[in-house]
Amino acid sequence: LITKPEDTTKQAKRGGTLKFSVSSDIPIFDPHFLSLANAAQVLLNYNRLTRVKPGILEPSDGSVIGDAVESWEYSADKLTITMKVRSNLGTPDVPPVNGRNLDATDIVYSWERFKKNGNNRSDYVNEINPNAPVLSMTAADARTLVVKLKQPVSTMMAQFSSQASGQFFIFPKEAEDKIDLRRTPIGAGV
């Protein structure tokens, strides 16, 4: 190397512009319907439940950390995962979300939408595929999400971190009837 890599992440400031290019225009902004080639243009708009911890000045070790959730705990029988939703999962200050924080009800809305529309829903949704792991996802309260599993799955939190197109992303519940996600990508971002 000509210069020694330096970690400048502590000097980062919120805001600014991320510039990158792609070889074609995106057909729609809804990641449930995008091909992987088009997904990079919108994935920064939406959270997943978890994400792979990035490597800083070295490759990632592959460990999973929270994204929309800050922590999780498995029940003794490993069939229930109780997650705490981040309290600072803010949206942009634009109608109809107006900067509000997303909560567990938004995640449940996103799950129900994913069950109907997600390209890869059969990888997760037991209703669609009897071999898929997730039986249900419910909100115990605004900050508590409960996931019921068909059987213990040691890699479930890693599966929720997938950034591939068609995977499970978190949307504001206003997407039901006030946001057209095909044209307007509104989420809490990364």
Side-chain angles (χ1 to χ4, degrees):
L1 295 175
I2 296 174
T3 61
K4 182 179 177 195
E6 179 185 349
D7 179 5
T8 59
T9 54
K10 291 187 180 6
Q11 300 161 5
K13 295 178 183 165
R14 202 154 186 62
T17 303
L18 171 65
K19 294 181 181 182
F20 66 95
S21 64
V22 292
S23 60
S24 64
D25 285 339
I26 187 169
I28 60 172
F29 290 105
D30 187 335
H32 284 165
F33 297 105
L34 287 174
S35 68
L36 188 56
N38 290 316
Q41 299 176 59
V42 297
L43 295 182
L44 295 176
N45 293 297
Y46 305 112
N47 293 86
R48 297 163 312 281
L49 290 176
T50 59
R51 62 189 174 109
V52 174
K53 182 180 178 182
I56 299 177
L57 301 180
E58 62 187 19
S60 170
D61 65 5
S63 59
V64 175
I65 60 174
D67 189 15
V69 299
E70 61 190 16
S71 63
W72 56 89
E73 179 178 295
Y74 279 85
S75 61
D77 63 5
K78 308 288 189 223
L79 295 177
T80 303
I81 310 170
T82 304
M83 303 178 209
K84 284 297 177 189
V85 178
R86 281 184 18 215
S87 61
N88 63 346
L89 205 55
T91 58
D93 194 14
V94 297
V97 291
N98 301 314
R100 77 170 179 85
N101 287 333
L102 301 183
D103 62 26
T105 62
D106 293 287
I107 296 173
V108 171
Y109 161 74
S110 301
W111 176 254
E112 293 301 319
R113 185 179 188 279
F114 176 72
K115 279 177 22 178
K116 288 189 257 178
N117 301 321
N119 287 345
N120 297 325
R121 63 193 178 146
S122 64
D123 292 345
Y124 295 87
V125 183
N126 185 266
E127 256 175 75
I128 306 297
N129 171 7
N131 295 317
V134 180
L135 296 173
S136 68
M137 190 175 292
T138 57
D141 59 50
R143 293 217 36 235
T144 308
L145 186 69
V146 179
V147 177
K148 299 284 187 181
L149 301 175
K150 175 185 173 187
Q151 60 199 26
V153 180
S154 63
T155 60
M156 196 69 242
M157 298 312 287
Q159 285 179 269
F160 283 135
S161 74
S162 178
Q163 192 168 322
S165 64
Q167 297 293 343
F168 178 51
F169 290 94
I170 313 303
F171 305 108
K173 57 189 162 232
E174 289 86 350
E176 178 66 25
D177 58 0
K178 294 179 178 79
I179 303 170
D180 182 358
L181 292 175
R182 295 171 301 162
R183 309 229 182 292
T184 308
I186 295 179
V190 292

